[in-house]
Amino acid sequence: MSDLTWQKSSFSDGAGPNCVELAAAYDGIRIRESDEPEAVIRTSPAALGVLIGAIKAGRLDHTL
């Protein structure tokens, strides 16, 4: 996975370690948190799009 190009959100100020990073791979999208770079999950572009849409629509804004 060292050959992946990781990108942070433009909203991330880079000051803290708690940033989500994404990378495009030949078989999907990789997601990791910058303070735990060895923990990587894989998803499809379509599934990531559904997640981003739900976040933008506020459908995940409830408390646990």
Side-chain angles (χ1 to χ4, degrees):
M1 279 200 230
S2 61
D3 60 334
L4 296 176
T5 302
W6 294 95
Q7 297 180 329
K8 290 183 184 181
S9 168
S10 60
F11 291 101
S12 173
D13 63 8
N18 298 322
C19 299
V20 173
E21 299 175 322
L22 301 175
Y26 71 94
D27 61 347
I29 304 293
R30 301 292 190 274
I31 304 171
R32 70 181 184 185
E33 191 169 339
S34 60
D35 66 341
E36 291 189 43
E38 65 283 347
V40 177
I41 60 172
R42 180 180 64 175
T43 190
S44 69
L48 180 59
V50 170
L51 175 63
I52 291 170
I55 292 168
K56 286 182 175 182
R59 293 193 300 269
L60 304 175
D61 290 349
H62 62 287
T63 58
L64 299 175

